[in-house]
Amino acid sequence: MSCCDLAAAGQLGKAGIMASDCEPALNQAEGRNPTLERYLGALREAKNDSEQFAALLLVTKAVKAGDIDAKTRRRIFDAVGFTFPNRLLTTKEAPDGCPDHVLRALGVALLACFCSDPELAAHPQVLNKIPILSTFLTARGDPDDAARRSMIDDTYQCLTAVAGTPRGPRHLIAGGTVSALCQAYLGHGYGFDQALALLVGLLAAAETQCWKEGEPDLLAVLRGLSEDFQKAEDASKFELCQLLPLFLPPTTVPSECLRDLQAGLARILGSKLSSWQRNPALKLAARLAHACGSDWIPAGNSGSKFLALLVNLACVEVRLALEETGTEVKEDVVTACYALMELGIQECTRCEQSLLKEPQKVQLVSVMKEAIGAVIHYLQQVGPEKQKEPFVFASVRILGAWLAEETSSLRKEVCQLLPFLVRYAKTLYEEAEEANDLSQQVATLAISPTTPGPTWPGDALRLLLPGWCHLTVEDGPREILIKEGAPSLLCKYFLQQWELTSPGHDTSVLPDSVEISLQTCCHIFLNLVVTAPGLIKRDACFTSLMNTLMASLPALVQQQGRLLLAANVATLGLLMARLLSTSPALQGTPASRGFFAAAILFLSQSHVARATPGSDQAVLALSPDYEGIWADLQELWFLGMQAFTGCVPLLPWLAPAALRSRWPQELLQLLGSVSPNSVKPEMVAAYQGVLVELARANRLCREAMRLQAGEETASHYHMAALEQCLAEP
């Protein structure tokens, strides 16, 4: 087909369209466009490629001349099909004297027409064209060529239609569209704004997959957007505030981007703004805080002022939104402010390398206290019908972050809210349990709100545990928590979370929050053991908890990297065993023997004899596994030693079991091999307590200690009680 044929077809198309303008738009009898029907007839009767090509040109022009309905579009597809458009898209030779993109442009125009039908947009013959269409976005050519521009518009129309189908984003990402869109945007050629819009849609629909397939190119776009944001002096900076959160990667944000973003935000938030200008900036800052903590804020005076400004603005926004009853709360903005408040809490409680100066911390604590008061006021108004809403969860989260660090202020208000918090946590826990969706409970919950589904289960207890740990030390709050059933709920939660770490579950993929939650639960139970021992004895849930601790510790102490959790479990179990000593489960059963053997292993392996250069005597030193975490471990270890000592006279079988483990003999041997000056007085007291109770409880223990030079060792360490005990028959 020659260029003359193309020109003739074009003239025929124009003539046909002009003729159709004089005819009725739709044939009244059949409801069809007569001009289009004539062209479709010519297409069906075409005998060769040249005639079919000419007819296709005419059909394409008729389609572009006016709107068509879905039925007409389907009839065009039925007449054309995919075969010839496929050939147009893949041919490499255009007619003599014609631009090489003419055939491809026609093929894309037809696809764009077909893709207006959602069913056709998801057709395999469209989906397999995604790689070809993606290449058109970055193809070089005359930027002023109208035909090329039209082809680019049609290409974006095809890709956008595919993106709107249920599985379309996945197909586009797999077809290389993300990188092509990034390159098209960075090239700032014709249609680059359409590339950015489609990128935004893909990131919103399938963020993880987009970054997996196109991270280098997406980072290049982020660098460009960040630089534009930093330089912008007009209203575009507010538009960029809305776009930029979508382009923050799930991994590390490049440092140059962080600098540009912080500088741009500092200029915006340091100015007098209306709410529509300020809110996107606060949301962008919140996303950065959630992704990077405070690492994106520079150190020094400018950084501290900027952080203080962020937190102050966030607190004001929270108070304005939550204190005024009857006003509609902009939940996305307030949730973003919660993230900035959480950042403020973290920095105010950081002792080393904090961005804030002490006067700034004092001021921020004051304004955050007022904002938390507004959060409490809001939560007091929440009825049962709202408890599943994400914003309520976000409000509980920020309150939990505050209570984790501060429980002395707002004590009256917090106590009044405790019944609601217990009921709320119980509701979400039970709903998640019924759904058997444990993975959602332990997943990290983004502070930035996403579109929620019909239900939004969340692990509210995980957020409240640190605050409850502080509150169980105080009489008033503890009584409220007990009255509302919090201990029973915590026992169930502990057992449920423990299941996630049991055999059959891949503990390597569990988030750290699971183990932290278990440890914090142990701390709460330890508080209750000390302050409310009667509760431990009478509430059946603690018997179940004790059984789980006994069954779990033997395997736990053998696992690498879980020593701190083992310490919590061992110490809690020992203290509870002292209170539940009459329970049948503790009367020398296999489970109880296994538990105490594991507890002895934990207590006995903490210290070793270590040789010192230039000295004949070794010194007592921490064993390697304990050394790095001793600051967090030592209180539990001493408490565990004390609890074990208290269990010995209550459980007659325990002293013989300890003797069979050779712990008393090895302990005396260790003390005899090191310099007494290297053993701190508190260590001497802890060791003597265990040895004395074992010696008093069992004659064979006393004899074994004597054979291990126990009396001499007791004399060296001034253990008068042990020395006296071993002197008895």
Side-chain angles (χ1 to χ4, degrees):
M1 188 173 185
S2 68
C3 250
C4 294
D5 295 324
L6 289 172
Q11 291 301 318
L12 285 171
K14 290 177 182 177
I17 293 169
M18 291 173 65
S20 69
D21 290 340
C22 299
E23 300 177 38
L26 292 174
N27 184 287
Q28 296 297 322
E30 300 183 11
R32 296 177 178 176
N33 185 320
T35 303
L36 181 59
E37 292 302 316
R38 187 164 63 252
Y39 294 164
L40 287 175
L43 180 61
R44 285 190 292 267
E45 295 170 4
K47 298 176 182 178
N48 53 49
D49 284 356
S50 294
E51 292 180 5
Q52 191 171 26
F53 189 22
L56 279 173
L57 282 173
L58 296 175
V59 168
T60 303
K61 289 180 178 292
V63 168
K64 290 186 176 181
D67 293 334
I68 58 173
D69 58 24
K71 290 183 179 179
T72 305
R73 190 182 303 115
R74 175 62 73 160
R75 294 182 63 253
I76 295 173
F77 169 72
D78 292 338
V80 176
F82 278 116
T83 303
F84 198 66
N86 288 349
R87 291 171 59 192
L88 292 173
L89 289 172
T90 56
T91 185
K92 296 182 179 179
E93 295 183 4
D96 294 339
C98 293
D100 59 1
H101 61 271
V102 169
L103 302 181
R104 293 195 297 272
L106 179 58
V108 176
L110 287 168
L111 279 185
C113 173
F114 298 160
C115 286
S116 300
D117 183 332
E119 185 177 342
L120 292 179
H123 195 285
Q125 287 285 357
V126 172
L127 299 179
N128 64 21
K129 303 299 180 301
I130 290 174
I132 298 175
L133 293 172
S134 297
T135 62
F136 295 164
L137 301 179
T138 56
R140 295 182 178 180
D142 183 359
D144 297 323
D145 187 334
R148 184 176 293 279
R149 289 191 171 199
S150 179
M151 183 178 76
I152 292 174
D153 287 334
D154 289 337
T155 299
Y156 281 118
Q157 184 177 338
C158 292
L159 296 176
T160 301
V162 172
T165 63
R167 297 175 63 86
R170 182 180 302 179
H171 289 293
L172 290 174
I173 294 167
T177 304
V178 172
S179 293
L181 290 171
C182 291
Q183 293 167 23
Y185 173 75
L186 293 170
H188 276 66
Y190 179 77
F192 78 98
D193 53 337
Q194 298 181 71
L196 186 62
L198 188 49
L199 265 179
V200 167
L202 289 178
L203 284 166
E207 178 185 13
T208 302
Q209 293 89 338
C210 284
W211 281 101
K212 183 178 179 181
E213 294 296 328
E215 181 172 352
D217 294 299
L218 284 170
L219 286 176
V221 172
L222 174 61
R223 290 186 181 94
L225 291 173
S226 301
E227 187 175 351
D228 292 343
F229 179 62
Q230 193 271 336
K231 294 178 179 178
E233 297 290 347
D234 54 12
S236 65
K237 59 187 176 184
F238 303 115
E239 298 172 4
L240 286 169
C241 275
Q242 297 176 328
L243 285 178
L244 279 162
L246 289 167
F247 287 89
L248 295 178
T251 54
T252 305
V253 181
S255 58
E256 64 271 24
C257 296
L258 293 178
R259 285 194 299 270
D260 287 340
L261 293 173
Q262 189 275 330
L265 282 172
R267 284 210 309 274
I268 290 177
L269 294 174
S271 306
K272 189 175 182 180
L273 303 171
S274 60
S275 59
W276 73 267
Q277 295 170 321
R278 180 177 59 253
N279 291 346
L282 290 173
K283 290 163 71 173
L284 173 57
R287 282 296 305 270
L288 288 168
H290 182 65
C292 310
S294 61
D295 293 344
W296 61 288
I297 301 175
N301 191 50
S302 63
S304 65
K305 286 184 177 180
F306 174 70
L307 177 56
L309 173 65
L310 275 182
V311 179
N312 273 289
L313 287 173
C315 291
V316 170
E317 197 71 33
V318 168
R319 291 188 63 189
L320 288 174
L322 302 184
E323 287 181 347
E324 298 180 9
T325 55
T327 59
E328 183 180 355
V329 176
K330 295 179 180 178
E331 296 180 354
D332 56 340
V333 178
V334 178
T335 304
C337 292
Y338 286 165
L340 298 176
M341 287 175 59
E342 196 166 334
L343 178 62
I345 292 170
Q346 293 169 359
E347 285 300 314
C348 284
T349 55
R350 180 180 293 183
C351 298
E352 298 180 359
Q353 296 182 331
S354 174
L355 292 172
L356 298 169
K357 300 172 184 176
E358 200 58 36
Q360 291 173 317
K361 291 183 179 181
V362 173
Q363 189 270 331
L364 289 182
V365 168
S366 176
V367 297
M368 286 192 290
K369 175 184 173 182
E370 294 173 347
I372 291 297
V375 174
I376 294 174
H377 171 74
Y378 165 76
L379 290 174
Q380 288 171 336
Q381 319 303 317
V382 172
E385 73 282 357
K386 284 191 170 185
Q387 288 193 5
K388 296 178 183 178
E389 294 184 3
F391 182 66
V392 176
F393 187 91
S395 301
V396 171
R397 172 180 174 134
I398 187 60
L399 177 59
W402 173 265
L403 292 177
E405 305 296 343
E406 174 57 61
T407 57
S408 59
S409 60
L410 299 171
R411 181 174 302 179
K412 178 182 177 182
E413 292 83 353
V414 169
C415 287
Q416 291 174 343
L417 191 66
L418 278 179
F420 164 80
L421 293 176
V422 176
R423 291 194 301 271
Y424 177 76
K426 184 178 181 181
T427 298
L428 266 63
Y429 166 78
E430 290 177 346
E431 178 174 302
E433 186 180 51
E434 290 173 6
N436 195 28
D437 195 355
L438 300 181
S439 62
Q440 287 197 11
Q441 292 190 41
V442 299
T444 302
L445 292 166
I447 202 70
S448 300
T450 55
T451 303
T455 58
W456 204 72
D459 188 359
L461 265 174
R462 174 174 64 86
L463 308 177
L464 293 170
L465 288 177
W468 287 7
C469 186
H470 297 316
L471 292 171
T472 48
V473 177
E474 304 176 24
D475 293 340
R478 182 177 63 252
E479 290 175 4
I480 297 173
L481 289 170
I482 293 174
K483 180 182 177 182
E484 296 296 329
S488 177
L489 174 62
L490 289 170
C491 284
K492 293 177 183 177
Y493 178 76
F494 180 90
L495 298 178
Q496 180 206 63
Q497 295 288 293
W498 191 265
E499 279 296 311
L500 297 175
T501 69
S502 62
H505 291 82
D506 185 1
T507 57
S508 64
V509 299
L510 285 177
D512 293 340
S513 60
V514 173
E515 191 147 321
I516 293 173
S517 293
L518 289 170
Q519 292 178 24
T520 311
C521 280
C522 287
H523 295 166
I524 295 175
F525 295 141
L526 286 170
N527 290 340
L528 293 176
V529 167
V530 174
T531 61
L535 175 70
I536 309 298
K537 294 178 180 179
R538 68 174 181 267
D539 198 322
C541 70
F542 288 101
T543 301
S544 299
L545 176 62
M546 185 71 214
N547 291 336
T548 298
L549 298 179
M550 289 195 298
S552 305
L553 186 62
L556 184 61
V557 294
Q558 304 292 341
Q559 297 176 19
Q560 289 290 330
R562 308 191 73 190
L563 181 57
L564 192 54
L565 179 59
N568 278 277
V569 170
T571 304
L572 175 61
L574 290 170
L575 284 167
M576 289 180 62
R578 196 169 59 178
L579 296 175
L580 302 174
S581 60
T582 59
S583 168
L586 285 164
Q587 306 310 311
T589 61
S592 62
R593 290 180 180 275
F595 169 78
F596 275 94
I600 288 172
L601 194 63
F602 159 66
L603 296 171
S604 64
Q605 292 187 339
S606 61
H607 291 78
V608 294
R610 182 176 298 168
T612 55
S615 175
D616 295 336
Q617 262 190 316
V619 297
L620 188 70
L622 288 166
S623 58
D625 289 341
Y626 289 66
E627 192 169 14
I629 57 172
W630 186 246
D632 298 319
L633 200 64
Q634 60 176 336
E635 186 176 353
L636 290 168
W637 186 86
F638 281 108
L639 196 56
M641 291 287 285
Q642 182 182 347
F644 185 92
T645 301
C647 288
V648 172
L650 299 174
L651 300 172
W653 59 269
L654 184 53
L659 182 62
R660 286 192 295 273
S661 75
R662 293 193 55 79
W663 184 26
Q665 300 97 308
E666 291 174 356
L667 180 51
L668 288 169
Q669 183 179 4
L670 174 64
L671 291 173
S673 65
V674 301
S675 167
N677 293 331
S678 68
V679 186
K680 296 180 179 178
E682 59 268 26
M683 294 293 300
V684 174
Y687 286 147
Q688 178 176 225
V690 169
L691 292 171
V692 166
E693 287 301 332
L694 289 174
R696 286 175 178 169
N698 186 269
R699 178 180 56 82
L700 294 177
C701 280
R702 292 195 295 275
E703 293 178 358
M705 290 182 195
R706 293 190 191 104
L707 291 174
Q708 195 62 51
E711 292 174 290
E712 182 181 352
T713 301
S715 175
H716 285 160
Y717 285 90
H718 306 291
M719 297 180 178
L722 178 59
E723 194 171 1
Q724 181 181 353
C725 185
L726 293 180
E728 298 174 359

